[in-house]
Amino acid sequence: MTTAVYAAGAVCWRLIDGKIHVLVIHRTKYADVTLPKGKVDPGESLPQTAVREVREETGLAVTLGVPLGVSAYTLSSGREKVVHYWASEVTDAAVRASTFVPNGEVAALEWVTLKRARNYLSYDHDVDILTTFSKLVDEGVTSTFAIIALRHGKAVSPSSWKGSDASRPLTARGVEQANEIVGTLRAFGVRRIVTSTAVRCATTVAPLAAATKIEPRRTDLISQDAFESGESDVRKVVGKRVRAGKTAVLCSHGPVLPDILREIALATGSITGSYLSSAAGLTTGAFSVVHLSSTNPSSGIISIETHEPRA
């Protein structure tokens, strides 16, 4: 049985004269027109791959928005190639800073309308991904931000810790998890970090804070101690993040996460259901990325994706 080849990429888009255009690449070797994508490097997560491949093929520094699904097809070698895609809004600053020059892999870049792209792309599986993106355009939810619900890394067990519950530290595995998730979190363009005051939560976001130079805001309002004593205020924390419209990480505890997901749904007029429980049922070091509309947050949750640490 042959092993599948995994890859990731993005539908990069921007407004040109008030109309959405997407980026297609003209590949040198294959003489085709396709979307930017590439194979996963050892140790990479799929979101990391998507951001890196877009940068390498187009010179554009991007962050990821809504997931657009997966395309799968058979290579000439007989192996299956599985490609994960995200939408990615490209800023004017990123375009100006692009380092792209024609090379042996990519002959040219071209920004085209959705209509032109459908007729221009060489492969049906690319057109399928573009069709998914087009549905977001039709719904008016292309510009997005995310609230990322993160469960702290693996901590020392309560039974083996003599101090207060809030002072329990991460285990060595928990520290590995905290470091390992940084690249994936950064792929979504984190702008704010909010954490429970518990040591295990604050330590979990410390590597991300160091990498992004974002000062975490510590609050008891999403701590387990406050939750268990009835003094938490998840609604206040979530409401502020929804109104701010900037991608934020909320690092909290297993018992608190269902409230965080529920409050995101309530704040955005989303239907509640079992999907929220699934998104909140995280293992240590895992996180769910809840994608919301930047222009109309009350339009509801657009998508939720969950990522697990390798450690």
Side-chain angles (χ1 to χ4, degrees):
M1 182 178 179
T2 57
T3 305
V5 176
Y6 288 92
V11 174
C12 299
W13 68 274
R14 60 193 281 241
L15 287 175
I16 300 177
D17 296 328
K19 193 168 187 177
I20 284 182
H21 286 61
V22 295
L23 183 66
V24 297
I25 64 173
H26 296 255
R27 293 197 297 183
T28 308
K29 180 179 178 180
Y30 300 101
D32 59 8
V33 180
T34 185
L35 300 170
K37 64 181 179 298
K39 291 186 291 185
V40 174
D41 278 349
E44 271 188 335
S45 66
L46 288 161
Q48 284 177 284
T49 299
V51 170
R52 176 184 56 76
E53 284 290 341
V54 169
R55 183 66 176 263
E56 291 180 359
E57 292 192 338
T58 72
L60 295 168
V62 301
T63 57
L64 304 180
V66 178
L68 297 175
V70 180
S71 67
Y73 49 94
T74 304
L75 299 171
S76 57
S77 64
R79 298 176 70 184
E80 183 182 37
K81 187 168 186 178
V82 180
V83 190
H84 292 247
Y85 286 95
W86 284 263
S88 181
E89 183 174 5
V90 179
T91 64
D92 290 340
V95 173
R96 290 192 297 268
S98 173
T99 57
F100 174 79
V101 291
N103 55 73
E105 184 176 358
V106 181
L109 308 178
E110 191 173 1
W111 290 97
V112 298
T113 63
L114 288 170
K115 182 178 180 180
R116 180 167 175 77
R118 287 191 189 95
N119 298 319
Y120 210 7
L121 290 166
S122 300
Y123 307 107
D124 289 342
H125 50 257
D126 283 348
V127 175
D128 290 341
I129 295 297
L130 190 69
T131 297
T132 301
F133 175 72
S134 298
K135 292 176 182 177
L136 295 178
V137 175
D138 293 341
E139 294 168 6
V141 291
T142 45
S143 291
T144 61
F145 70 101
I147 296 178
I148 302 173
L150 166 65
R151 186 177 179 185
H152 61 75
K154 180 71 174 176
V156 172
S157 67
S159 61
S160 61
W161 183 249
K162 295 182 180 179
S164 66
D165 183 71
S167 68
R168 278 195 292 130
L170 296 181
T171 63
R173 182 187 177 200
V175 172
E176 290 176 1
Q177 291 172 331
N179 283 283
E180 189 272 320
I181 61 177
V182 170
T184 307
L185 287 167
R186 292 191 72 183
F188 294 100
V190 174
R191 302 276 299 279
R192 296 289 185 272
I193 303 171
V194 182
T195 177
S196 159
T197 48
V199 168
R200 56 193 183 275
C201 288
T203 308
T204 297
V205 299
L208 176 65
T212 59
K213 296 180 171 55
I214 297 171
E215 184 69 27
R217 176 176 174 264
R218 300 188 183 195
T219 176
D220 285 321
L221 299 180
I222 56 172
S223 73
Q224 186 166 333
D225 283 349
F227 177 80
E228 291 176 348
S229 66
E231 297 174 343
S232 63
D233 195 342
V234 174
R235 178 167 296 179
K236 181 178 180 179
V237 175
V238 169
K240 183 175 182 180
R241 300 275 52 93
V242 170
R243 291 191 298 274
K246 297 176 181 178
T247 295
V249 169
L250 303 184
C251 185
S252 190
H253 311 260
V256 186
L257 290 169
D259 269 15
I260 290 176
L261 270 294
R262 183 166 53 251
E263 289 299 337
I264 294 173
L266 292 173
T268 56
S270 304
I271 297 173
T272 58
S274 60
Y275 76 102
L276 295 174
S277 299
S278 297
L282 301 173
T283 58
T284 54
F287 56 91
S288 287
V289 184
V290 185
H291 295 277
L292 307 171
S293 169
S294 295
T295 53
N296 184 19
S298 62
S299 61
I301 293 171
I302 302 169
S303 179
I304 302 178
E305 55 183 299
T306 298
H307 296 272
E308 302 272 349
R310 291 186 300 274

